[in-house]
Amino acid sequence: MCRLFALTSRDPVSPMRAIDALNVMKEGHDGSGVGLFLSGLGGPWEELKEYPILSGIFTDEGLSRMSDYMTKNGFQPKYSATFTPDVEPPAGTPRRGAYASIAFKIPDGWKGMAEEQVSQNLVRMRLGLRAMGEESGDIMVFSFWPDTIMIKEVGDPLAMADYLKLDREELQARHILAQGRQNTNYAINLYACHPFFIEGISTMTNGENTAFVPIREYLMSRGVTGYQGYQSDSEVFTHIAHYTTKRLRLDISAYKHVITPMNDDEMRDHPDREFLSDLKRACRKLIIDGPNCVIGCLPDGSMFMAQDRKKFRPGVVGGNPELGIYGFSSEICGLNAAIPDRDRTKDFQPMHLDTAIVGPDCREVLQCSQKDPLRPQL
Amino acid sequence: MLPERPITPSTLSRKDLPWQIKWDINTCTKCGRCTSVCPVNAIELGVFRKRDVRPPMGLNAKPTTEFSTYYGIRQRTDPAYACIGCAMCNMVCPNNAIEPNRQYDSTTLEFQNNRGGQPRTRGGRRNNSESLLDQIKFIRISMLTDPALDAGRHEFDVRTLLGRVLSPEAEIKCYRENGWKPPVREIYPLVIGGMSFGALSPNMWEGLQMGVAYLNEEMNMPVRMCTGEGGCPPRLLRSRFLKYVILQIASGYFGWDEIIHAIPEMKEDPCAIEIKYGQGAKPGDGGLLMWYKVNKLIAAIRGVPKGVSLPSPPTHQTKYSIEEAVAKMIQSMSMAWGFRVPVYPKISASSTSLAVLNNLVRNPYAAGLAIDGEDGGTGAAYNVSMNHMGHPIASNLRDCYKALCVAGAQNEIPLIAGGGIGKHGNLAANAAALIMLGASMVQIGKYVMQAGAGCLGSEKDRCNVCNIGVCPKGITSQDPRVYRRLDPEKVAERVVDFYLSFDTELRKVFAPLGRSTSLPVGMSDALGISDKDAADRLDIKYVI
Ligand code: SF4
Ligand code: SF4
């Protein structure tokens, strides 16, 4: 089973803290890959919050094809943190070229465009680049979004950190999702590597999603730009989170009502029973039939964890409000390694009805139960 | 039999009949039960004369001839009385002195059973024992990242939705604006399909209703049963059990007066209304209830004279086109119950199923689509329709499901698949395969008769006299002398038995696939088949 570790902090921290936690949990993952999502970026990016950042891997040719494409669309590079490793890659990792994160200036024509339109256009450009690269393999893009960097590679997390120099200052971030990969049912493909990302929402999962095919078919038929690809059986979790919050405009605490609705008995005396049973019917195709633990980060920087009742060993959330840092870990040893100075009695293991949410202020773990009344905005 | 047997083009010998009676003179006690129980009078008591020539010893005396007579069983060779292999004679024989034997090389009857220029009509199912559903395997078993579920101990939610389900966006809009929500029923995914009160005997019908009520009220399984065309007994219409019943209206509109009149007195809404446009076993035909079965009660319920054949016209003057008919009928039926009851059409699987489906997707009142494949059973139909017409269910269902996926409506219009499920007894496996191909629920008819009441019909043209009211088991007869053979209590018991075992088997299929909280509708990645063409056509994995 993959190992997951996420950090959310008031001040930017190095992704190495998450990588080290993954390393402690090494028994669980076979070191077949690592994925990193970084947002709330620190260092040089602090000034560039408005500019969408393109993250991906490019060969020399890919770089020039990419910059042609960006120029054609009216985008000017503003700042770039490109890294080309000069040492031999670890065994099993191919030499791919430059690992780039480039912030672009939005074309003037986009000014005044509705936010939704801008978002969609960014997704469309990311997909365009991805499609260009799929022919020859010279371009791979994982995200194109303000204040967001994504890195993915095949290999052991610690070896990768060393190879890609992940302790660079320009990679410090407030919100970090990191996954140590266990081999999956599907072929190894960088796009299949967690975390997944769409319009500011990123999630990662461990487990097995037996309902993958019906959910994929359902999402693909929703007519939302960006619901495509699906190289991994859990890529759909990200899109369900996106669908729930952006399309249905529900609060993230409703996410669990979509993926793992309560059964009739549990729902019986719920104050919002009528709405919830209708929602369960309408979203029936999105019910995941676990076992899965999902950790995700939303555009505002809040982080959440949820799991279904089939998950035998739930993840854990804990942290230190004084230091303003919280960790979400699939194993307790990972949390101990990353945040040793915390009150362990306050650690929270969300059970099958719970969603744990830590807001961007990193002050407390909000525990939502599906039994609670829905939040007012519904 | 004539003393001198004429030989004409249509005379048959015993050898020409597919079923031949083996009768043992030594064990027969001549009780006569076999001849009295034979539904088609294929056997009769015969007087046989035997000549014995006895040559004496020596050369002087002449041989003597002795004549003796004895009584025995004679099989008739007139095609009208050909043995149907039901083996009722054997069932009643105290000594097993008689039994029918199938002769596969005796095919002559097939060329003869259209006497008087009348093509053969029969009940039963298609005479073809192949089943694609039986070839499908379930191949996705959780092994790596998580252990398989425990089918015996894990909680399973084996329920499905019948009715128009709104899309999540529409549902939330409807909730915010307090709009109209189409009615949806949460039911068990195995439905007893339409078998009418005219086709089945009162005892069979009562047995089924009792079984269904018991499953609902004692076993907590929301099983539903469809009435078939021809109305519904008035007492049931006014009882609280109506909520377990799907009322069918068909092309002939038989029995609808009774139902409409009962609306003001109904204590409960019916589960749903099914509008029958077609049936898998006789696509293009309406219902066919032959005069033998139209007794006083049936005539009264259907509002017709007694003793006349009731062929429902496949079309009716209210139906101008399928689009219009579907729209109009759905609208008016919904209206009759104040838009509280789901209304959906049932069609024969055919290459035009998609057209109907596309039409329904755009109709906000359409509550589902039932598709009946070529292997479905029927009470009466022409042999040619039953054996040669119709579309197999698997690929038709798959096409429809995929069309829904393209339209993004796969959760919105439930597909109900039927026709050949459990043809060889593999009820749960066949049903699970269809669910994973995209059906929200499946319906069975013939299986219920076979498992619930011991129907003798098979895919080898055994029995199949359901149409002429002489059903040897009393399942499809309206003659009290025949149907009192069937004990409704026992039928109910068998229905409950096979539903419970189906439920266990279904869990045994779903558990290793890791599905327990929602029905694996459309989980086609779990299916494999060793036929390359079938795999391509159904878009499932090819495994050998
Ligand atoms: S098998 Fe049935 S039809 Fe044939 S002789 Fe016996 S009772 Fe009659
Ligand atoms: S037993 Fe009755 S219902 Fe079954 S095939 Fe024979 S006649 Fe038809």
Side-chain angles (χ1 to χ4, degrees), chain B residues 311-529:
Chain B
S312 310
T315 178
H316 189 271
Q317 66 264 36
T318 53
K319 297 195 182 93
Y320 161 69
S321 67
I322 184 91
E323 304 87 345
E324 199 197 68
V326 169
K328 251 194 210 164
M329 285 183 73
I330 290 178
Q331 181 88 10
S332 51
M333 290 303 142
S334 302
M335 203 135 61
W337 275 273
F339 295 91
R340 298 185 309 270
V341 176
V343 183
Y344 65 90
K346 169 176 170 175
I347 55 167
S348 323
S350 86
S351 55
T352 55
S353 304
L354 272 180
V356 181
L357 181 68
N358 289 337
N359 210 277
L360 294 180
V361 171
R362 278 155 199 86
N363 182 343
Y365 300 110
L369 177 65
I371 310 172
D372 201 10
E374 61 172 356
D375 279 326
T378 180
Y382 288 94
N383 201 40
V384 68
S385 305
M386 224 180 302
N387 281 354
H388 303 284
M389 295 182 70
H391 196 303
I393 183 64
S395 55
N396 206 259
L397 170 78
R398 192 81 183 124
D399 290 347
C400 288
Y401 181 73
K402 293 195 122 188
L404 286 182
C405 287
V406 171
Q410 64 268 53
N411 188 37
E412 297 168 22
I413 292 222
L415 296 173
I416 308 161
I421 298 165
K423 196 169 165 177
H424 296 144
N426 308 320
L427 183 64
N430 291 176
L434 282 174
I435 288 173
M436 291 181 211
L437 287 173
S440 285
M441 63 196 86
V442 295
Q443 57 180 19
I444 46 164
K446 190 79 187 172
Y447 187 93
V448 181
M449 306 213 292
Q450 289 170 318
C455 160
L456 305 161
S458 78
E459 273 67 53
K460 300 259 192 282
D461 204 5
R462 183 177 173 199
C463 202
N464 292 347
V465 284
C466 329
N467 52 331
I468 50 174
V470 293
C471 170
K473 283 299 191 94
I475 304 167
T476 54
S477 167
Q478 299 297 347
D479 184 343
R481 289 170 305 176
V482 178
Y483 68 66
R484 69 174 170 230
R485 291 175 189 171
L486 197 65
D487 180 350
E489 302 277 349
K490 291 272 181 288
V491 172
E493 216 173 288
R494 287 290 304 137
V495 169
V496 173
D497 282 352
F498 86 71
Y499 257 98
L500 293 181
S501 70
F502 170 83
D503 195 55
T504 305
E505 287 196 348
L506 206 61
R507 285 161 201 240
K508 284 282 175 199
V509 176
F510 292 168
L513 306 181
R515 294 302 290 270
S516 65
T517 48
S518 74
L519 221 54
V521 179
M523 189 179 168
S524 53
D525 56 327
L527 300 180
I529 194 164

Side-chain angles (χ1 to χ4, degrees), chain A residues 208 222 247 278 285 289 310, chain B residues 146 181 408 514-515 517:
Chain A
E208 180 170 17
R222 295 294 86 196
R247 256 300 176 97
D278 288 351
K285 280 278 173 182
D289 237 330
K310 286 189 201 157
Chain B
D146 59 276
K181 263 189 311 226
R515 294 302 290 270
T517 48

Side-chain angles (χ1 to χ4, degrees), chain A residues 36-48:
Chain A
L36 268 182
F37 159 87
L38 311 169
S39 80
L41 301 173
W45 305 101
E46 291 278 11
E47 311 300 311
L48 301 161

